[in-house]
């Protein structure tokens, strides 16, 4: 009897929380660090502190003390009270019209030795989050950890503003910085056109006809790529930027096509009479994974690019309607009851099925450029948020998104 | 000792139930400004709206579908046939556009394809009843064009629909 009660208690305490247990084990391997605001404290400098903490957390290499502290940026003395921390990061922020500067200093609190010091500036004050991202990615590199340069990238996303109305925005990964770049009418499915984020593809409706555009972010010029009756979506861009994966429906039938940017030639990749959408390159371009209802419900399938054969790759769930791939790893969203969508990690050969989320509506999963972090949108009782999940530490972060519904995103 | 066992058991049960509850969190209504009223019908076992209300901008009946479905049932086919003389006349004078729509669930790309299949099903019905295919176009608005916004199942079901409209 005692055995069963202890077993029941153990299961109830730890069952379903395995991810957090993994965090606590791996947390000990991460470097303890405290962040100190050396500026004249304002609401903005407090936000900078929060962004520092978020960046350090999502790096998977640091375990930041979340307490907001203030201190002198120029102090030459050590900080004995913070001796339990391996490093302190002290920052000072000055905001002027076109000269917004962040000074950052990494110090060993035990002996006051300066490990690294940097100055970061931006002309547009709204872009202050990027100063912290740049600083943390450089600190991370200086200390010899694996690159986290993805935190310097923009996220592009579309959000609904009304009926048949949506706008496309740029954001930093924490969504502290957002800027509308396309508005008016229905603007959907933005997707980066190149790894340097100099261009993007998106869909707009021109007199009711779905049209695919390419926008050059440096010149502001946009160009019509192609259009299709019914719907058109650019769901992936090959790494070299030369081929797009499009969902088109020239005869009212949605299928996946490869589109050669240089020639405009389209090649139909799927011919199913139902729904095939959301094609993304996998296995280093040797295959395309996509969502199809060929079993009568949305599921995840793969098309081998050499043979053209199609096979099922996810055998879990009856409603898997979104997928992304990095190499042979895929992440997908599975509907599990009324109002519950969870994310799972799997492989293109059918292996795996690791749950990544446990509650709420978790959708639009996207791998980071290094494949180590997943971005997703979470809708739950607490509200909408953009989520990040480190696959190496299981550390997750959520940033509030406000009330408007995200239509799609890419980073 | 029995009291201790009972206390441990109660704690374990509480934690188990608490954990389950956390995973069933309802979702918020995250888009204000849409009409949450005007829902007179219910939802059948397939998720289809059972009300007979609702017309398109051109005055034709709205056509409702079940969850993840793009098949018109007998009742919806009859609604199209009731409007057929007016639709045929409009097609003769100009053009007909069928707009497919979805509820807010699911990923948007799948929803846009689902909306398109709904529009295509209506087009097939019109063509089978004598309207020239060249006079009918289809487009999907996915979940971007709800007629009802709210957490109630009947309200969501009302958005799983196709609309027939005249194009001058």
């Amino acid at each position: 009897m005692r055995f069963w009660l202890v077993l029941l208690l153990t299961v109830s305490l730890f069952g379903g929380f395995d991810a957090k247990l993994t965090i606590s084990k791996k947390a000990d391997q991460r470097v303890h660090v405290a962040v100190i605001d050396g500026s004249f404290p304002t609401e903005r400098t407090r936000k900078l502190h929060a962004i520092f903490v978020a960046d350090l957390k999502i790096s998977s290499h640091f375990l930041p003390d979340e307490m907001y502290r203030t201190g002198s940026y120029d102090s030459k003395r050590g900080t004995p009270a913070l001796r339990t921390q391996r490093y302190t990061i002290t920052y000072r922020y000055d905001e002027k019209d076109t000269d917004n500067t962040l000074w950052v200093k990494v110090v060993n609190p035990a002996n006051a030795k300066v490990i690294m010091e940097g100055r970061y500036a931006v002309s547009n004050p709204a872009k202050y989050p990027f100063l912290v991202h740049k600083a943390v990615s450089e600190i991370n590199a200086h200390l010899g950890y694996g690159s986290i340069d993805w935190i310097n990238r923009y996220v592009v996303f579309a959000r609904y503003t009304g009926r048949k109305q949506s706008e496309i925005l740029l954001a930093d990964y924490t969504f502290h910085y957002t800027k509308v770049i396309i508005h008016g009418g229905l603007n959907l499915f933005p997707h980066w056109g190149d790894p340097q984020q100099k261009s993007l593809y998106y869909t707009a409706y021109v007199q009711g006809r779905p049209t695919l555009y390419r926008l050059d972010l440096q010149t502001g010029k946009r160009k019509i790529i192609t259009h299709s009756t019914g719907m058109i979506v650019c769901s992936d861009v090959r790494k070299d930027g030369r081929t797009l994966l499009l969902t088109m429906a020239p005869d009212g039938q949605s299928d996946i096509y490869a589109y050669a940017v240089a020639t405009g030639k389209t090649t139909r990749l799927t011919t199913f009479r139902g729904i095939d959408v959301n094609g993304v390159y996998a296995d280093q371009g040797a295959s395309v994974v996509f969502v199809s209802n060929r079993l009568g419900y949305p599921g995840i399938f793969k098309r081998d690019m050499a043979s053209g054969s199609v096979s099922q790759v996810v055998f879990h769930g009856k409603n898997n309607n979104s997928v992304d791939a990095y190499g042979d790893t895929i992440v997908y969203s599975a509907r599990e009851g009324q109002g519950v969508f969870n994310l799972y990690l799997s492989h293109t050969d059918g292996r795996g099925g690791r749950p990544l989320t446990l509650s709420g509506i978790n959708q639009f999963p996207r791998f980071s450029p290094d494949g180590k972090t997943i971005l997703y949108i979470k809708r739950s009782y607490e509200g909408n948020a953009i989520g990040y999940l480190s696959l190496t530490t299981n550390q997750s972060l959520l940033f509030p998104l406000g009330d408007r519904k995200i239509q799609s995103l890419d980073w | 000792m029995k009291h201790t066992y009972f206390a441990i058991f109660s704690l374990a049960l509480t934690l188990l139930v608490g954990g389950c509850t956390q995973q069933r969190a309802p979702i918020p209504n995250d888009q204000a400004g849409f009409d949450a009223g005007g829902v007179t019908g219910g939802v059948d076992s397939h998720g289809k709206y059972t009300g007979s209300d609702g017309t398109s901008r051109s005055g034709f009946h709205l056509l409702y579908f079940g969850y993840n479905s793009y098949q018109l049932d007998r009742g919806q086919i009859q609604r199209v046939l009731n409007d057929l003389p007016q639709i045929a006349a409009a097609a003769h004078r100009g053009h007909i556009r069928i707009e497919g729509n979805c509820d807010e669930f699911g990923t948007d790309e799948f929803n846009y394809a689902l909306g398109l299949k709904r529009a295509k099903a209506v087009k097939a019905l019109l063509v089978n009843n004598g309207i020239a295919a060249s006079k009918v176009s289809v487009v999907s608005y996915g979940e971007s064009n709800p007629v009802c916004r709210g957490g109630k199942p009947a309200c969501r079901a009302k958005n799983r629909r196709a609309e027939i409209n005249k194009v001058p």
Side-chain angles (χ1 to χ4, degrees):
Chain A
M1 182 65 178
R2 186 193 302 265
F3 169 78
W4 289 109
L5 286 176
V6 171
L7 179 66
L8 178 60
L9 181 61
T10 308
V11 168
S12 62
L13 276 173
F14 299 123
F17 293 93
D18 49 344
K20 286 188 178 173
L21 276 180
T22 310
I23 291 169
S24 62
K25 281 180 186 172
K26 295 197 174 182
D28 293 337
Q29 299 165 11
R30 288 179 282 168
V31 175
H32 289 254
V33 59
V35 182
I36 300 168
D37 184 354
S39 326
F40 178 77
T42 63
E43 190 180 343
R44 175 63 54 89
T45 67
R46 276 183 167 271
K47 280 186 179 174
L48 286 165
H49 186 277
I51 298 170
F52 263 109
V53 169
D55 284 4
L56 292 163
K57 271 187 183 177
I58 204 66
S59 75
S60 305
H61 306 136
F62 300 96
L63 191 59
D65 184 334
E66 297 188 31
M67 180 183 283
Y68 174 74
R69 293 183 170 86
T70 56
S72 167
Y73 181 82
D74 298 315
S75 172
K76 300 280 190 284
R77 291 181 297 169
T79 320
L82 296 175
R83 203 175 295 155
T84 54
Q85 309 291 330
R86 177 90 170 269
Y87 302 113
T88 58
I89 297 175
T90 308
Y91 64 90
R92 191 179 76 207
Y93 180 65
D94 285 341
E95 188 169 298
K96 292 171 189 163
D97 290 343
T98 56
D99 182 17
N100 306 282
T101 307
L102 181 73
W103 285 268
V104 179
K105 191 158 53 177
V106 182
V107 175
N108 180 338
N111 58 16
K113 183 182 175 188
V114 176
I115 310 295
M116 177 192 158
E117 193 161 8
R119 176 182 179 276
Y120 308 90
V122 67
S123 57
N124 179 359
K127 289 190 173 181
Y128 72 95
F130 286 103
L131 298 176
V132 181
H133 303 330
K134 185 71 177 164
V136 172
S137 63
E138 289 195 359
I139 291 167
N140 180 77
H142 184 84
L143 296 175
Y145 298 114
S147 172
I148 53 164
D149 286 349
W150 62 261
I151 65 175
N152 298 310
R153 291 173 65 84
Y154 286 95
V155 176
V156 62
F157 67 103
R159 70 180 178 195
Y160 288 120
T161 54
R163 289 179 67 177
K164 295 184 185 177
Q165 294 286 323
S166 60
E167 58 192 12
I168 293 177
L169 302 92
L170 295 180
D172 76 309
Y173 91 96
T174 66
F175 279 54
H176 281 90
Y177 167 81
T178 58
K179 181 186 178 187
V180 176
I181 56 170
I182 301 166
H183 63 92
L186 200 50
N187 305 289
L188 308 165
F189 301 107
H191 200 292
W192 290 116
D194 57 274
Q196 293 74 37
Q197 301 191 316
K198 292 178 180 171
S199 63
L200 60 87
Y201 295 95
Y202 72 99
T203 301
Y205 282 44
V206 181
Q207 295 177 333
R209 186 164 70 168
T211 304
L212 183 69
Y213 285 92
R214 182 180 186 276
L215 174 67
D216 186 321
L217 288 169
Q218 293 182 313
T219 64
K221 289 182 179 172
R222 70 174 192 168
K223 176 186 171 188
I224 291 177
I225 300 299
T226 185
H227 51 76
S228 173
T229 307
M231 71 177 289
I232 188 165
V233 178
C234 174
S235 49
D236 201 9
V237 178
R238 206 178 168 107
K239 271 188 179 172
D240 60 11
R242 292 179 180 173
T243 315
L244 316 179
L245 287 179
L246 306 182
T247 299
M248 295 198 297
D251 56 356
Q253 178 68 44
S254 64
D255 275 304
I256 296 166
Y257 293 75
Y259 177 89
V261 174
T263 63
K265 183 186 174 190
T266 55
T267 306
R268 191 173 179 176
L269 299 182
T270 63
T271 55
F272 175 56
R273 66 183 185 284
I275 293 174
D276 287 340
V277 294
N278 193 186
V280 288
Y281 285 108
D283 299 321
Q284 287 71 45
S287 66
V288 168
V289 292
F290 60 99
V291 175
S292 174
N293 72 338
R294 53 191 69 205
L295 293 179
Y297 51 85
I300 312 299
F301 290 80
K302 175 176 83 170
R303 182 191 189 274
D304 185 276
M305 294 298 277
S307 68
S309 64
V310 172
S311 55
Q312 189 178 359
V313 293
V314 172
F315 299 90
H316 151 264
K318 295 273 186 185
N319 194 336
N320 306 325
N321 54 35
S322 177
V323 66
D324 193 28
Y326 182 85
D328 69 345
T329 308
I330 61 173
V331 58
Y332 63 93
S333 172
R335 187 176 189 186
E336 300 180 319
Q338 187 72 22
V340 179
F341 286 76
N342 280 315
L343 301 182
Y344 288 83
L345 201 65
S346 186
H347 293 87
T348 53
D349 60 5
R351 283 181 296 124
R354 172 184 158 192
L356 298 176
T357 59
L358 290 173
S359 64
I361 295 181
N362 305 281
Q363 292 180 301
F364 306 113
R366 295 285 183 271
F367 279 103
S368 61
D370 62 6
K372 293 177 182 171
T373 308
I374 286 170
L375 167 155
Y376 63 102
I377 300 296
K378 185 176 193 75
R379 297 167 63 198
S380 67
Y381 192 62
E382 290 79 22
N384 298 324
I386 186 160
Y388 293 85
L389 211 154
S390 166
L391 296 177
T392 47
T393 62
N394 288 337
Q395 175 80 59
S396 61
L397 283 179
L398 290 171
F399 298 100
L401 270 182
D403 291 339
R404 287 182 178 168
K405 189 173 186 304
I406 300 288
Q407 188 271 327
S408 68
L409 54 77
D410 191 30
W411 69 336
Chain B
M1 183 57 84
K2 277 185 180 175
H3 289 290
T4 309
Y5 285 151
F6 181 75
I8 293 172
F9 183 78
S10 300
L11 175 62
L13 195 63
T14 305
L15 287 164
L16 274 172
V17 171
C20 292
T21 306
Q22 190 182 18
Q23 292 182 37
R24 292 284 179 273
I27 57 159
N29 297 328
D30 59 351
Q31 201 169 8
F34 292 95
D35 176 19
V39 182
T40 59
V43 185
D44 70 11
S45 60
H46 301 288
K48 187 177 69 66
Y49 182 64
T50 57
S52 57
D53 54 313
T55 55
S56 70
R57 294 189 304 280
S58 300
F60 302 124
H61 285 102
L62 297 184
L63 307 163
Y64 300 111
F65 294 82
Y67 182 76
N68 263 351
S69 168
Y70 41 88
Q71 286 190 330
L72 285 162
D73 68 12
R74 190 175 298 174
Q76 303 304 308
I77 290 171
Q78 190 57 52
R79 283 160 72 90
V80 177
L81 296 179
N82 290 345
D83 287 337
L84 195 60
Q86 292 78 26
I87 296 170
H92 182 70
R93 286 192 298 271
H95 196 86
I96 295 293
R97 182 159 67 208
I98 304 167
E99 300 175 0
N101 301 276
C102 297
D103 65 20
E104 75 210 63
F105 284 126
T107 296
D108 230 36
E109 190 167 341
F110 190 87
N111 273 349
Y112 273 77
L114 183 59
L116 192 58
K117 294 292 282 187
R118 288 173 177 164
K120 199 180 173 194
V122 177
K123 177 178 178 177
L125 181 62
L126 294 181
V127 171
N128 287 341
N129 282 278
I131 296 178
S134 61
K135 287 283 191 177
V136 184
S137 64
V138 291
V139 69
S140 176
Y141 285 105
E143 62 180 78
S144 73
N145 187 28
V147 289
C148 186
R149 202 64 173 164
K152 290 182 179 174
C155 186
R156 289 194 197 111
K158 212 171 173 184
N159 294 327
R160 298 191 278 268
R161 73 193 193 283
E163 292 186 17
I164 302 171
N165 282 303
K166 302 173 194 172
V167 180

